[in-house]
Amino acid sequence: AQSVTQLDSHVSVSEGTPVLLRCNYSSSYSPSLFWYVQHPNKGLQLLLKYTSAATLVKGINGFEAEFKKSETSFHLTKPSAHMSDAAEYFCVVRLTGGGNKLTFGTGTQLKVEL
Amino acid sequence: DAGVIQSPRHEVTEMGQEVTLRCKPISGHDYLFWYRQTMMRGLELLIYFNNNVPIDDSGMPEDRFSAKMPNASFSTLKIQPSEPRDSAVYFCASSPQGGNQPQHFGDGTRLSIL
C-alpha cells in the first residue's frame, strides 16, 4: 500500500534562510507524488507534482522537490524563506489503481521568523 | 478562472439538526472529492465521485452522512442528525480525468456542532 511519512511536524526557519521539509514515501510502484500548501482558513493549494518525467521538480513560489528512488524520499526545499511561506505543507501520494485517490501525510507546520 | 466553490464558509448549529454542505466543482472536472480535516485525524477522504457516480464511500463515517452529485456542477454532503464530534472543516476538491492530475480544493466549510 502506498503511504507517505512527513518526518517533522514543525519546522522553524529565519527569513532568508533555506527551507527543507522532509517526506518519505512507501510504494510498490513508481508513485505519483505531490506537495500541497495550506494557509490558515484556506484550502490546499498545489505546489508541485512528480510524475516520473524528471526527478527534480520545480513548483510555484520558488519551491522545488527532488525524487530520490534509492532513498524513497521527496523532500521539499526553497533556497530562501519568506514570511509569506509560513503555512502547513502536505506531502501526498496518489494511490495506484485507486482512481484519483490521494493519501496525505500528517503535515509540517512551517514557521518563518524575522 | 473560478475555482472550487463551497458554501457556506461557516456553519454553527445545534446537535441533532440537519446540515447540508454544498460544492460547485471546476467546470469540466470529472472527479469530485469530499474531505474532512480535524486536528486529531488530519485530512480524511470521505467519498469521491467520477462523472457524478459515487466510486468509493468507504470513508463516510456513519449512516448519518450522505453525499449526492445530481449533476456535473453540484454536490452536497449532508449530516443528519448532526453530533458535536462532526465539528471539523469539510473540503471539496475536483480534478480532471487522466492520471496524475492534481486535485483543486475549495476553501472549505468550517462546521461547529454545539
Side-chain angles (χ1 to χ4, degrees), chain A residues 32 34 36 38 41-44 46 49 51 90 94 98-102 104, chain B residues 9 31 33 35 37 43 45 48 56 91 95 100-103 105-107 110:
Chain A
S32 295
F34 308 82
Y36 280 81
Q38 184 179 26
N41 300 315
K42 302 291 281 185
L44 281 73
L46 179 70
K49 66 178 182 180
T51 57
F90 293 91
R94 186 179 74 92
N100 201 0
K101 281 178 71 171
L102 303 178
F104 289 78
Chain B
R9 288 297 315 277
Y31 284 95
F33 305 81
Y35 291 91
Q37 187 178 39
L43 205 61
L45 175 66
Y48 80 96
D56 185 344
F91 288 102
S95 71
N100 304 321
Q101 295 291 341
Q103 294 181 18
F105 284 75
D107 284 340
R110 185 172 295 276

Side-chain angles (χ1 to χ4, degrees), chain B:
Chain B
D1 289 341
V4 175
I5 300 172
Q6 292 187 245
S7 64
R9 288 297 315 277
H10 303 273
E11 175 88 16
V12 181
T13 192
E14 291 189 346
M15 175 178 161
Q17 296 298 306
E18 178 180 291
V19 173
T20 300
L21 311 181
R22 297 173 176 80
C23 175
K24 177 178 168 57
I26 293 172
S27 177
H29 282 192
D30 298 305
Y31 284 95
L32 184 139
F33 305 81
W34 281 101
Y35 291 91
R36 178 172 67 177
Q37 187 178 39
T38 61
M39 290 290 291
M40 292 297 295
R41 300 173 68 92
L43 205 61
E44 304 173 276
L45 175 66
L46 300 177
I47 185 172
Y48 80 96
F49 296 83
N50 185 19
N51 292 322
N52 313 338
V53 176
I55 303 301
D56 185 344
D57 65 355
S58 59
M60 296 285 262
E62 299 171 34
D63 291 344
R64 299 184 295 106
F65 285 70
S66 62
K68 294 182 179 179
M69 191 164 185
N71 57 63
S73 60
F74 184 66
S75 177
T76 59
L77 178 67
K78 189 172 292 188
I79 308 172
Q80 167 63 17
S82 58
E83 296 183 4
R85 60 194 168 119
D86 302 330
S87 298
V89 182
Y90 290 80
F91 288 102
C92 177
S94 69
S95 71
Q97 195 79 5
N100 304 321
Q101 295 291 341
Q103 294 181 18
H104 300 257
F105 284 75
D107 284 340
T109 295
R110 185 172 295 276
L111 177 63
S112 296
I113 309 297
L114 306 177

